[in-house]
Amino acid sequence: MSKTICLLPGDGIGTEIVAQGRKALEAAAKRSGKELVFTEALIGGAAYDATGNPLPAQTVAACRAADAVFLGAVGGPKWDSLPPEKRPEKGILGIRKELGLFANLRPALLLPELAGACLLKPETAQKGLDLIVVRELTGDIYFGQPRGIEERNGVRTGYNTMLYSEEEIRRIARVGFETAMKRKKCVCSIDKSNVLETSRLWREIVSDVAKSYPEVELSHMYVDNAAMQLVRDPSQFDVLLTGNLFGDILSDEAAAITGSLGMLPSASMGSTAPALFEPIHGSAPDIAGQDKANPLATILSAAMLLRLGLDMPEEAACIEQAVSRALKDYRTADIMEEGKTLVGCERMGDIVAGYILG
Ligand code: IPM
Ligand code: MG
C-alpha cells in the first residue's frame, strides 16, 4: 500500500532543501520497491502571499490526509512587519497545534566525518556528542494566555504567560523517559525552578514520572547552567528534557556545536499520525535561491520520517549511510573543510540520492 507525504516547502531555502529531501525519499522507496505519493501545500510567508493566511485551511486538511508531513522552513524579512497572527511563524506554530504535535525530538550527533568542523575544543570533541533534545512543543510561553502589548499606566507594556498543566508535563516527560530507555538511560530535565513556578511544577511532575522508569537515571539542571554545560562538555548528556522555550534555545546551541545548524533533523510527534519532520534550522533568506544551502538536515529529517513516521527503518538507515558517505568527499559551504569538494544544495542532493540507489 502506498504512503502519502505532504510536502510543505515554505519560504527562503525551504523549497531548495525540501526538493533534495524528496529525492532521498524517492530513491529510498525505489530501492526497496515501495511506493510514496507526494502532495504539496503552502505554509508561512508563501501561504500568506498567496492567500493572506500563513496557515490556510487547505494546508491543514492536506496534512491531516497524509501519513507524514515534511516541512522546509518558514519566515523572512519580507514578512517581519506583519502582525503576529499573519507572520510566517504562525504557520508552523499553528500546524504543530492543529496536529497536536506535542513532542519534538531533536537529535544532535557529531558525525565522525564532521569532527573537524565541530566548534568544540578537540579534546572536548573527542569525547563525542550524541544527545537528543526532547522538547515540549504545544505549550509554554509560546501559547500561554494572556499575551499582548497594551498600555499600562501610560506605558506600552508587552506580556506573555509561561504556562504548563500537570498533564502536559506528564505526557512529554513520558516521551523523554521512553526515549532514554532506547538510549543510554539518562534524562536531564531542564528548568528554571529557582525562579519560576512553572518550572517548580515541571520538576515535581518529571520526578514523579521518573518513578515509573526505575532504570533511567534522572537529573535536573537549571537552563542557564545547561547552556554552559553544553559547550563545556556535551558528552555528559543523553536525553535533555525541556519545555518549549528552553528547548528552542538549547537545540540551536546543540546543533551549532556539532559543526553546523545545517546538519540537524527533527521529528514532531503527537499521540496520533501524521507526525511532522523538518530540519531545525530556519529559512536562511540571506542565501535563498543561490543553491548554497546545506540540504543534509532535511535529508536526515527524511530518514526520521521513514523511521518514525512510516515505520520504514531499513530505508531510513540507507539514507543515513548515504549521508555519511557523501560527507567523506563532498561538502556544502557551511561545513567545508580542506581536501573536500565544495558542492551546492542540488548537487549534494543528487550525490546522496545516487548513493542511496547505488
Ligand atoms: C524552531 C523554530 C520555531 C520555534 C519558529 C520558526 C517559530 O525556531 O522550530 O525551533 O521557535 O519553535
Ligand atoms: Mg528554533
Side-chain angles (χ1 to χ4, degrees), residues 74 89 92-93 96 106 135 142 248 278 280:
V74 299
E89 290 78 4
I92 192 165
L93 296 174
R96 288 172 180 168
R106 300 190 156 185
R135 168 191 178 195
Y142 270 61
D248 178 46
E278 59 174 315
I280 85 150

Short mmCIF file of all heavy atoms in Angstrom, two decimals, residues 74 89 92-93 96 106 135 142 248 278 280, ligand 1:
data_model
loop_
_atom_site.label_atom_id
_atom_site.label_comp_id
_atom_site.label_asym_id
_atom_site.label_seq_id
_atom_site.Cartn_x
_atom_site.Cartn_y
_atom_site.Cartn_z
N VAL A 74 10.17 28.33 7.44
CA VAL A 74 9.32 29.50 7.16
C VAL A 74 9.99 30.78 7.65
O VAL A 74 10.86 30.74 8.50
CB VAL A 74 7.92 29.39 7.83
CG1 VAL A 74 7.16 28.18 7.33
CG2 VAL A 74 8.04 29.40 9.34
N GLU A 89 5.79 32.48 11.00
CA GLU A 89 5.98 31.58 12.15
C GLU A 89 4.65 31.05 12.66
O GLU A 89 4.57 29.96 13.23
CB GLU A 89 6.71 32.31 13.29
CG GLU A 89 8.17 32.62 13.02
CD GLU A 89 8.39 33.82 12.11
OE1 GLU A 89 7.39 34.50 11.74
OE2 GLU A 89 9.56 34.09 11.76
N ILE A 92 3.81 27.66 11.23
CA ILE A 92 4.45 26.46 11.79
C ILE A 92 3.92 26.20 13.20
O ILE A 92 3.64 25.05 13.58
CB ILE A 92 5.98 26.61 11.73
CG1 ILE A 92 6.68 25.33 12.03
CG2 ILE A 92 6.54 27.61 12.65
CD1 ILE A 92 8.15 25.39 11.61
N LEU A 93 3.73 27.27 13.98
CA LEU A 93 3.18 27.08 15.33
C LEU A 93 1.75 26.54 15.22
O LEU A 93 1.35 25.66 15.99
CB LEU A 93 3.18 28.40 16.11
CG LEU A 93 4.58 28.99 16.38
CD1 LEU A 93 4.48 30.37 17.02
CD2 LEU A 93 5.41 28.06 17.26
N ARG A 96 1.66 22.78 14.24
CA ARG A 96 2.02 21.95 15.40
C ARG A 96 0.82 21.79 16.32
O ARG A 96 0.51 20.70 16.79
CB ARG A 96 3.17 22.61 16.19
CG ARG A 96 4.51 22.55 15.48
CD ARG A 96 5.56 23.39 16.20
NE ARG A 96 6.85 23.35 15.52
CZ ARG A 96 7.87 24.15 15.79
NH1 ARG A 96 7.76 25.07 16.74
NH2 ARG A 96 9.01 24.04 15.14
N ARG A 106 14.87 16.21 18.83
CA ARG A 106 15.97 16.85 18.08
C ARG A 106 17.30 16.20 18.43
O ARG A 106 17.99 16.62 19.37
CB ARG A 106 15.99 18.35 18.39
CG ARG A 106 14.71 19.03 17.99
CD ARG A 106 14.77 20.54 18.06
NE ARG A 106 13.77 21.09 17.16
CZ ARG A 106 13.62 22.38 16.90
NH1 ARG A 106 14.41 23.27 17.48
NH2 ARG A 106 12.71 22.78 16.06
N ARG A 135 11.80 18.10 23.35
CA ARG A 135 11.25 19.42 23.64
C ARG A 135 9.72 19.39 23.57
O ARG A 135 9.17 18.92 22.56
CB ARG A 135 11.81 20.39 22.59
CG ARG A 135 11.14 21.74 22.54
CD ARG A 135 11.59 22.52 21.28
NE ARG A 135 10.91 23.80 21.18
CZ ARG A 135 10.86 24.55 20.09
NH1 ARG A 135 11.47 24.15 18.99
NH2 ARG A 135 10.20 25.69 20.08
N TYR A 142 5.00 29.97 24.53
CA TYR A 142 4.65 30.08 23.11
C TYR A 142 3.15 30.23 22.92
O TYR A 142 2.70 30.84 21.95
CB TYR A 142 5.10 28.82 22.37
CG TYR A 142 6.50 28.86 21.81
CD1 TYR A 142 7.60 29.03 22.65
CD2 TYR A 142 6.73 28.71 20.45
CE1 TYR A 142 8.89 29.05 22.14
CE2 TYR A 142 8.01 28.72 19.93
CZ TYR A 142 9.08 28.89 20.77
OH TYR A 142 10.34 28.90 20.26
N ASP A 248 13.82 25.27 22.49
CA ASP A 248 14.09 26.03 21.26
C ASP A 248 15.53 26.55 21.31
O ASP A 248 16.29 26.40 20.35
CB ASP A 248 13.10 27.20 21.15
CG ASP A 248 13.35 28.05 19.92
OD1 ASP A 248 13.56 27.46 18.83
OD2 ASP A 248 13.38 29.29 20.05
N GLU A 278 11.18 18.01 10.02
CA GLU A 278 11.76 19.24 9.46
C GLU A 278 13.17 19.42 9.99
O GLU A 278 13.49 18.94 11.08
CB GLU A 278 10.92 20.46 9.87
CG GLU A 278 10.81 20.62 11.38
CD GLU A 278 10.11 21.90 11.84
OE1 GLU A 278 10.41 22.97 11.29
OE2 GLU A 278 9.32 21.82 12.78
N ILE A 280 16.09 21.56 11.84
CA ILE A 280 15.85 22.50 12.94
C ILE A 280 16.23 23.94 12.56
O ILE A 280 15.86 24.88 13.24
CB ILE A 280 16.54 22.10 14.27
CG1 ILE A 280 17.98 22.56 14.33
CG2 ILE A 280 16.46 20.62 14.55
CD1 ILE A 280 18.37 22.82 15.76
C1 IPM B 1 12.09 26.07 15.72
C2 IPM B 1 11.85 27.47 15.24
C3 IPM B 1 10.41 27.87 15.53
C4 IPM B 1 10.22 27.81 17.04
C5 IPM B 1 9.97 29.22 14.95
C6 IPM B 1 10.17 29.26 13.45
C7 IPM B 1 8.57 29.56 15.30
O1 IPM B 1 12.77 28.34 15.84
O2 IPM B 1 11.41 25.16 15.21
O3 IPM B 1 12.97 25.87 16.57
O4 IPM B 1 10.52 28.78 17.75
O5 IPM B 1 9.77 26.78 17.53
#
